């Protein structure tokens, strides 16, 4: 079990996978520019932030190998993001309801 | 782990880098909160100011940085497979992409400064509050991100040297792996900066 975990974390990404991820990132870049230019709706800002998050996820999980890391590290990252989210929430509760 | 590897702790080294990146997330997070608060207070002025950004150069820079991340990932896999020469080529390509990013950024800043838009400039001081805040945040956030890119370029240059001199190898790749984590993180920061400063509509 432990040996499996070590081998997973030592995972060597294949060049082909990286090129596919890069291609997906380029497509998403094109989509985000089109979304901004076309101004389909007032939700295009939110949509663009969503696309940015998908791009960030691809970089995190594949280029940064998060996919192959233990749940422990994923949990730590999630905790940091939750701290950031709660600070954003607290800040806005002050800004909006002051 | 053989005796030849000594007391190396790959996983510990990697977790150390991730912990540093966690502090970086909160560091940049603070600036993103500032941006979010001021944008919610001055939506119209942020919209108008973002229209002044050079979308073409911003888009090219995004593509440049995403491509540099691909090169970095390939360079690390190459080290792990023992293809050191291939790795050095891709590390050098990553450095070139990083320098191209900084050069394009410099052109953008130069364009703006030439129009008199820079912190505390007489032109900017006469603008509306929301515009002053937008361009202030633009200079601070892209500036600090640019410093990160520059640091990354310097660190990757050391990795080229280490790979050439046999300090970074198939068995001992923590240094370059951590450099890659840092480089990809800087890429992620730009992934968010790009829509916020160039695509806000």
């Amino acid at each position: 079990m432990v040996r499996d975990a070590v081998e997973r974390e030592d995972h060597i990404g294949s060049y082909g996978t990286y090129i596919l991820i890069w291609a997906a990132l380029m497509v998403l870049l094109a989509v985000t520019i089109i979304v901004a230019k076309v101004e389909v709706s007032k939700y295009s800002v939110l949509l663009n932030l969503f696309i940015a998050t998908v791009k960030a996820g691809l970089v995190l999980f594949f280029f940064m190998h998060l996919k192959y890391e233990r749940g422990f590290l994923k949990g730590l990252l999630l905790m940091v993001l939750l701290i950031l989210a709660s600070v954003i929430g607290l800040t806005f509760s002050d800004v909006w309801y002051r | 782990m053989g005796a030849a590897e000594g007391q190396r702790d790959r996983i510990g080294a990697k977790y150390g880098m991730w912990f540093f990146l966690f502090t970086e997330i909160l560091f940049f997070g603070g600036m993103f909160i500032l941006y979010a608060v001021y944008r919610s207070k001055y939506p119209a002025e942020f919209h108008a100011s973002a229209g002044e950004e050079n979308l073409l150069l911003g888009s090219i820079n995004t593509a440049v940085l995403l491509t540099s991340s691909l090169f970095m990932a390939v360079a690390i896999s190459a080290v792990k497979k023992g293809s050191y020469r291939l790795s050095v080529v891709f590390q050098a390509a990553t450095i070139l992409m990083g320098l191209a990013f900084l050069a394009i950024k410099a052109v953008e800043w130069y364009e703006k400064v030439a129009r008199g838009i820079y912190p505390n400039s007489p032109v900017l001081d006469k603008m509306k509050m929301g515009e002053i805040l937008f361009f202030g945040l633009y200079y601070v956030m892209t500036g600090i991100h640019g410093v990160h890119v520059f640091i990354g370029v310097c660190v990757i240059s050391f990795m080229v040297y280490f790979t050439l001199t046999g300090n970074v190898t198939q068995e001992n790749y923590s240094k370059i792996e951590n450099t890659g984590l840092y480089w990809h993180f800087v890429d992620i920061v730009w992934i968010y900066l790009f829509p916020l400063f160039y695509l806000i509509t």
Side-chain angles (χ1 to χ4, degrees):
Chain A
M1 283 299 279
V2 174
R3 199 173 153 67
D4 282 355
V6 170
E7 278 177 3
R8 260 170 71 80
E9 290 181 59
D10 281 353
H11 174 85
I12 301 176
S14 78
Y15 303 145
T17 309
Y18 288 150
I19 291 170
L20 275 180
I21 297 299
W22 172 79
L25 287 168
M26 286 300 169
V27 169
L28 287 170
L29 170 61
V31 170
T32 197
I33 294 169
I34 291 166
V35 167
K37 279 277 148 196
V38 172
E39 297 187 29
V40 264
S41 74
K42 59 180 175 153
Y43 297 112
S44 59
V45 173
L46 280 180
L47 184 56
N48 273 328
L49 284 178
F50 175 74
I51 294 171
T53 303
V54 174
K55 283 159 82 185
L58 287 176
V59 173
L60 264 174
F61 277 88
F62 292 94
F63 286 170
M64 295 174 84
H65 286 188
L66 195 63
K67 184 170 185 272
Y68 305 99
E69 301 293 348
R70 292 178 202 180
F72 177 64
L73 185 63
K74 289 176 189 158
L76 285 176
L77 176 63
L78 185 65
M79 214 165 69
V80 172
L81 295 178
L82 286 178
I83 291 171
L84 183 61
S86 41
V87 172
I88 292 173
L90 288 170
T91 309
F92 271 96
S93 71
D94 183 35
V95 170
W96 284 336
Y97 303 110
R98 186 184 286 261
Chain B
M1 279 190 218
E5 282 186 67
Q7 296 294 316
R8 217 166 272 138
D9 180 0
R10 278 178 199 159
I11 293 177
K14 185 162 61 185
Y15 275 47
M17 192 66 201
W18 273 101
F19 287 157
F20 168 64
L21 293 182
F22 292 162
T23 71
E24 288 272 272
I25 289 173
L26 297 176
F27 170 64
F28 277 100
M31 289 183 281
F32 280 110
I33 292 174
L34 261 186
Y35 176 95
V37 168
Y38 285 131
R39 183 179 140 67
S40 77
K41 283 196 166 178
Y42 305 97
E45 295 166 21
F46 268 55
H47 167 85
S49 309
E52 298 216 2
E53 296 290 348
N54 192 324
L55 179 61
L56 179 65
L57 289 183
S59 308
I60 292 173
N61 248 355
T62 310
V64 164
L65 216 51
L66 290 173
T67 308
S68 81
S69 258
L70 168 69
F71 290 168
M72 190 73 219
V74 169
I76 293 168
S77 274
V79 162
K80 289 180 178 177
K81 289 177 181 173
S83 324
Y84 302 128
R85 194 166 293 179
L86 182 71
S87 178
V88 166
V89 168
F90 275 94
Q91 288 175 49
T94 311
I95 291 172
L96 282 179
M97 292 307 242
L99 291 175
F101 177 89
L102 290 175
I104 293 171
K105 196 87 248 159
V107 170
E108 268 183 55
W109 276 33
Y110 180 80
E111 271 183 357
K112 253 180 222 71
V113 171
R115 281 188 294 141
I117 299 175
Y118 53 89
N120 255 345
S121 74
V123 178
L124 190 61
D125 279 347
K126 285 196 200 78
M127 289 184 175
K128 291 181 206 135
M129 195 58 200
E131 290 172 311
I132 295 174
L133 286 167
F134 178 90
F135 287 113
L137 283 166
Y138 167 79
Y139 275 111
V140 169
M141 291 175 83
T142 61
I144 290 177
H145 177 264
V147 170
H148 277 75
V149 172
F150 178 71
I151 292 170
V153 165
C154 295
V155 176
I156 299 168
S157 306
F158 276 104
M159 292 308 130
V160 170
Y161 173 75
F162 285 147
T163 312
L164 288 172
T165 53
N167 189 310
V168 163
T169 61
Q170 201 168 3
E171 292 80 32
N172 179 14
Y173 53 74
S174 282
K175 286 192 203 74
I176 192 163
E177 191 175 51
N178 286 349
T179 305
L181 287 176
Y182 176 81
W183 190 257
H184 297 313
F185 169 79
V186 171
D187 189 17
I188 289 178
V189 172
W190 181 260
I191 285 174
Y192 281 100
L193 286 178
F194 174 63
L196 291 181
F197 284 105
Y198 297 83
L199 297 179
I200 290 299
T201 50

